């Protein structure tokens, strides 16, 4: 009945964006012993996202994490992009074997005229000298392809923008109309934040996303005349914290905190080249360390490092047209780098102010949200809830990560940015609406969940949901379903609980 209500209330596309491979061989391992308490679960899950990562016992920073010097008038030109392998028609890099096949196809083409013609589909080469000439031509073609300064092909999982390999989609008339509305609201002397939230709920155009996020997060005032003054004051304040506190990262009091930050940062979006640049990692170290020592009630907790990345990418996009994934941040003027860093720190701080109980001792906020998710799913889809019980699957075993890092490990970064457009538009998007997004996200995989036959298969599915091909369309449908659930259950406590 819950399914019927869901279909009648909201008609969704029948297209399922991904499937979990059913024929994946299952390891012959015994069922994991359930944790008897949250503390045991937390201790047994030091890193909820990475597998087979070893910490260096002899900790030492691999690069000098120092404050960027005072900006000068000169700037470095960005280096040329590295050459990439030739790509196939789908935009995916070809393997060496595929390159050999391509060369063979260049040498022997059935449609070309040969001395012997075609016999039973076989091509007869006219002479050995012609074969040698064709071989040299194929090699020359491959060398030219490899030497051209082409744009590197980004793996789908690492693409930040919601686009295909050929570039961003063409702006439609509707998109241009929405962009004009945003520009009008942002150009008013006093921006109407309620109206801005209303338009932002269904997604914010890339061109105005940075300024809109600053406004909706409460970092910038609505009054246009005060914005420059506030920006200068807050940026100077952040770098004042750097000068006052950052040198203490090697002190005995903060050494463990800095060490954990230093270990976690290389694990942040490891498939995206942008986040492996030393300049970017130094920025993240400063942001996370300053936040940690200014919030001693929680300090640094694994997962907070993920929350910096959407802000950093969005504010960087003001200065990058495309291919943010490969952009060399060190090529920007130093004052621009400093502004991006300070804005990312303050907006992340505003976000965490609303969900800090997720990261205090024993993480009570996450415990409460996981329990609320369990109660909500028991009312939305009793079949899934009972199936979890029969297979002894605890919600904490998969939903802990969903709450701890706001689904960032379940979705590509491009989807997270779109999701956060709506979270910024909601009054309590990160602290309250996220619960309904998680419930809708779980129900999205109903068919795959009920097709799993044992505990191990269920847990493998829930921890590795196939969202690699997701984009704005799939996130929009997810948010629409989450809104429906919120509308039905948020203000109906008697219907919410049994």
């Amino acid at each position: 009945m819950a399914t019927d209500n869901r279909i009648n209330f909201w008609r969704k596309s029948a297209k399922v964006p991904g499937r979990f491979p059913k024929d994946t061989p299952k390891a012959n391992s015994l069922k994991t012993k359930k944790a008897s308490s949250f503390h045991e679960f937390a201790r047994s899950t030091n890193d909820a996202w990475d597998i087979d990562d070893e910490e260096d016992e002899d900790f030492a920073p691999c690069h000098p994490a120092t404050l960027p010097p005072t900006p000068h008038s000169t700037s470095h030109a960005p280096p040329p992009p590295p050459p990439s392998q030739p790509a196939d028609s789908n935009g995916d890099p070809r393997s060496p074997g595929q390159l050999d096949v391509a060369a063979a196809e260049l040498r022997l083409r059935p449609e070309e005229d040969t001395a012997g013609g075609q016999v039973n589909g076989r091509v007869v080469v006219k002479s050995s000298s012609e074969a040698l000439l064709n071989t040299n031509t194929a090699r020359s073609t491959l060398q030219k392809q490899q030497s051209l300064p082409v744009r590197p092909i980004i793996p789908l999982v690492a693409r930040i923008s919601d686009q295909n390999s050929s570039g961003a989609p063409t702006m439609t008339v509707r998109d241009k109309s929405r962009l004009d509305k945003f520009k009008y609201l942002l150009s008013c002397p006093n921006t109407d934040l309620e109206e801005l939230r209303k338009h932002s709920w269904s997604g914010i155009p890339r061109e105005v996303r940075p300024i809109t996020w600053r406004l909706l997060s409460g970092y910038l005032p609505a009054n246009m005349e005060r914005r420059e003054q506030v920006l200068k004051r807050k940026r100077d304040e952040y770098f004042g914290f750097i000068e006052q506190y950052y040198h203490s990262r090697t002190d005995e009091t903060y050494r463990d905190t800095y060490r954990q930050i230093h270990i976690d940062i290389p694990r942040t979006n490891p498939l995206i080249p942008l986040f492996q640049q030393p300049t970017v990692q130094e920025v993240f170290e400063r942001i996370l360390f300053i936040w940690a020592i200014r919030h001693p009630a929680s300090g640094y907790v694994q997962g907070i490092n993920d929350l910096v990345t959407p802000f950093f990418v969005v504010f960087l996009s003001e200065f990058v047209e495309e291919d943010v994934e490969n952009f060399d941040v060190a090529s920007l003027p130093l004052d621009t780098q400093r502004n991006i860093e300070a804005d990312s720190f303050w907006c992340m701080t505003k976000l965490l102010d609303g969900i800090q109980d997720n990261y205090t001792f024993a993480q009570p906020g996450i415990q409460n949200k996981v329990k609320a998710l369990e109660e909500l799913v028991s009312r939305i889809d009793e079949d899934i809830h009972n199936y979890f019980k029969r297979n002894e699957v605890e919600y904490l075993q998969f939903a802990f990560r969903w709450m701890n890092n706001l689904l960032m490990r379940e979705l590509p970064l491009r989807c997270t940015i779109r999701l956060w457009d709506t979270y910024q538009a909601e009054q309590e998007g990160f602290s309250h609406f996220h619960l309904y997004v998680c419930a809708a996200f779980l129900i999205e995989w109903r068919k795959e969940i009920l097709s799993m036959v044992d505990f191990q298969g269920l847990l493998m599915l829930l921890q590795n949901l196939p969202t690699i091909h997701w984009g704005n369309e799939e996130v929009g449908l997810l948010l629409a379903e989450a809104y429906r659930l919120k509308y039905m259950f948020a203000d109906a406590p008697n219907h919410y609980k049994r």
Side-chain angles (χ1 to χ4, degrees):
M1 178 161 179
T3 304
D4 294 337
N5 291 336
R6 183 166 174 256
I7 295 175
N8 293 333
F9 186 93
W10 198 274
R11 182 176 297 275
K12 294 178 60 176
S13 172
K15 181 180 177 182
V16 179
R19 283 289 185 269
F20 186 79
K22 297 182 180 179
D23 56 348
T24 304
K26 298 181 176 60
N28 295 325
S29 59
L30 297 176
K31 189 179 299 184
T32 306
K33 181 180 179 182
K34 292 189 294 182
S36 58
S37 68
F38 177 82
H39 296 286
E40 291 183 13
F41 175 80
R43 286 197 298 269
S44 66
T45 315
N46 293 330
D47 192 334
W49 313 278
D50 296 281
I51 301 175
D52 296 334
D53 281 327
E54 296 181 0
E55 297 180 1
D56 185 6
E57 294 300 328
D58 299 325
F59 166 70
C62 61
H63 52 76
T66 56
L67 177 67
T70 304
H72 298 286
S73 59
T74 60
S75 61
H76 301 284
S84 64
Q85 292 183 349
D88 58 16
S89 59
N90 295 324
D92 296 322
R94 288 180 176 177
S95 64
Q98 291 174 314
L99 296 178
D100 294 338
V101 173
E105 290 175 348
L106 287 171
R107 291 197 300 270
L108 303 177
R109 292 184 182 274
E111 61 270 21
E112 292 179 354
D113 185 23
T114 61
Q118 296 188 19
V119 181
N120 296 330
R122 297 181 180 179
V123 178
V124 180
V125 180
K126 182 163 61 175
S127 66
S128 59
S129 61
E130 183 180 2
L132 180 61
L133 178 62
N134 290 336
T135 301
N136 293 334
T137 303
R139 288 177 180 171
S140 176
T141 302
L142 290 176
Q143 290 173 356
K144 287 180 180 179
Q145 288 176 339
Q146 292 176 343
S147 63
L148 289 175
V150 297
R151 187 176 71 178
I153 300 299
I154 306 299
L156 182 60
V157 70
R159 282 189 207 137
I160 294 177
S161 57
D162 188 20
Q163 63 182 30
N164 52 36
S165 59
S166 62
T170 306
M171 180 177 290
T172 64
V173 176
R174 179 179 179 273
D175 293 336
K176 187 178 185 305
S177 175
R178 293 189 72 246
L179 178 60
D180 291 340
K181 290 178 182 177
F182 274 92
K183 288 182 176 180
Y184 170 76
L185 287 171
L186 296 171
S187 64
C188 294
N190 288 283
T191 301
D192 187 341
L193 294 181
E194 287 302 317
E195 192 69 15
L196 188 63
R197 287 191 179 95
K198 176 182 175 182
H199 289 288
S200 300
W201 205 99
S202 56
I204 303 172
R206 183 183 188 271
E207 295 85 349
V208 294
R209 182 176 278 133
I211 180 66
T212 305
W213 275 28
R214 291 187 185 103
L215 285 166
L216 295 182
S217 66
Y219 174 45
L220 277 186
N223 185 279
M224 182 179 291
E225 294 181 356
R226 296 180 51 224
R227 289 176 192 170
E228 286 299 323
Q229 179 184 356
V230 169
L231 276 177
K232 185 180 184 308
R233 177 172 59 82
K234 298 298 283 185
R235 289 166 178 172
D236 291 345
E237 186 178 355
Y238 168 72
F239 284 101
F241 295 151
I242 295 289
E243 295 177 4
Q244 184 176 359
Y245 299 117
Y246 195 58
H247 64 84
S248 64
R249 64 190 183 279
T250 56
D251 294 350
E252 188 66 26
T253 305
Y254 301 116
R255 181 177 174 81
D256 290 342
T257 297
Y258 179 72
R259 179 179 182 273
Q260 189 61 57
I261 292 172
H262 187 80
I263 290 171
D264 287 346
I265 285 178
R267 302 173 179 175
T268 305
N269 293 294
L271 297 178
I272 301 179
L274 172 70
F275 299 111
Q276 303 310 309
Q277 298 176 24
T279 299
V280 175
Q281 293 186 356
E282 291 170 14
V283 167
F284 278 38
E285 284 183 0
R286 289 192 291 270
I287 289 175
L288 294 172
F289 181 77
I290 296 301
W291 187 89
I293 65 174
R294 294 189 72 246
H295 296 81
S298 61
Y300 174 74
V301 177
Q302 285 181 322
I304 296 179
N305 55 308
D306 286 317
L307 305 183
V308 187
T309 56
F311 292 115
F312 185 83
V313 168
V314 167
F315 297 146
L316 177 63
S317 68
E318 284 186 285
F319 310 97
V320 182
E321 290 298 326
E322 58 182 12
D323 279 357
V324 179
E325 302 89 346
N326 280 306
F327 183 77
D328 182 13
V329 175
S331 66
L332 288 172
L334 290 174
D335 58 344
T336 300
Q337 296 181 42
R338 290 164 63 93
N339 292 343
I340 293 172
E341 177 178 346
D343 292 354
S344 300
F345 169 81
W346 286 114
C347 287
M348 185 197 74
T349 300
K350 292 287 186 180
L351 184 161
L352 289 172
D353 285 347
I355 57 172
Q356 192 171 353
D357 61 342
N358 284 8
Y359 306 105
T360 54
F361 176 73
Q363 299 181 268
I366 291 181
Q367 293 191 66
N368 293 334
K369 290 181 176 67
V370 171
K371 183 63 177 176
L373 177 65
E374 181 176 358
E375 294 176 352
L376 184 58
V377 172
S378 71
R379 302 302 300 168
I380 296 171
D381 197 318
E382 195 170 359
D383 291 340
I384 288 182
H385 181 72
N386 291 336
Y387 198 68
F388 284 163
K389 291 177 67 175
R390 286 198 301 272
N391 287 277
E392 299 182 0
V393 174
E394 299 288 341
Y395 284 77
L396 194 65
Q397 291 170 321
F398 63 89
F400 174 86
R401 188 169 75 180
W402 296 9
M403 303 299 178
N404 190 68
N405 61 350
L406 303 175
L407 288 177
M408 286 194 62
R409 294 283 174 161
E410 322 308 319
L411 299 171
L413 183 54
R414 60 182 177 273
C415 296
T416 297
I417 292 174
R418 167 62 190 92
L419 186 68
W420 283 24
D421 285 345
T422 300
Y423 283 4
Q424 298 271 12
E426 284 277 337
Q427 289 287 354
E428 296 179 319
F430 295 99
S431 60
H432 184 63
F433 186 64
H434 179 67
L435 169 67
Y436 299 96
V437 173
C438 288
F441 187 65
L442 181 63
I443 303 304
E444 175 71 24
W445 309 102
R446 184 180 196 276
K447 182 178 178 180
E448 290 81 0
I449 289 171
L450 297 179
S451 69
M452 294 293 109
V453 296
D454 58 10
F455 171 88
Q456 184 173 347
L458 267 172
L459 218 55
M460 287 179 63
L461 170 66
L462 291 168
Q463 293 178 352
N464 300 277
L465 291 167
T467 60
I468 183 175
H469 295 285
W470 276 34
N472 287 349
E473 181 180 355
E474 289 79 10
V475 175
L477 292 173
L478 178 70
L479 289 166
E481 178 63 13
Y483 181 82
R484 185 187 74 87
L485 296 177
K486 178 188 175 186
Y487 181 82
M488 291 177 63
F489 292 95
D491 298 320
N494 293 331
H495 189 47
Y496 182 79
K497 297 181 179 180
R498 291 182 177 279

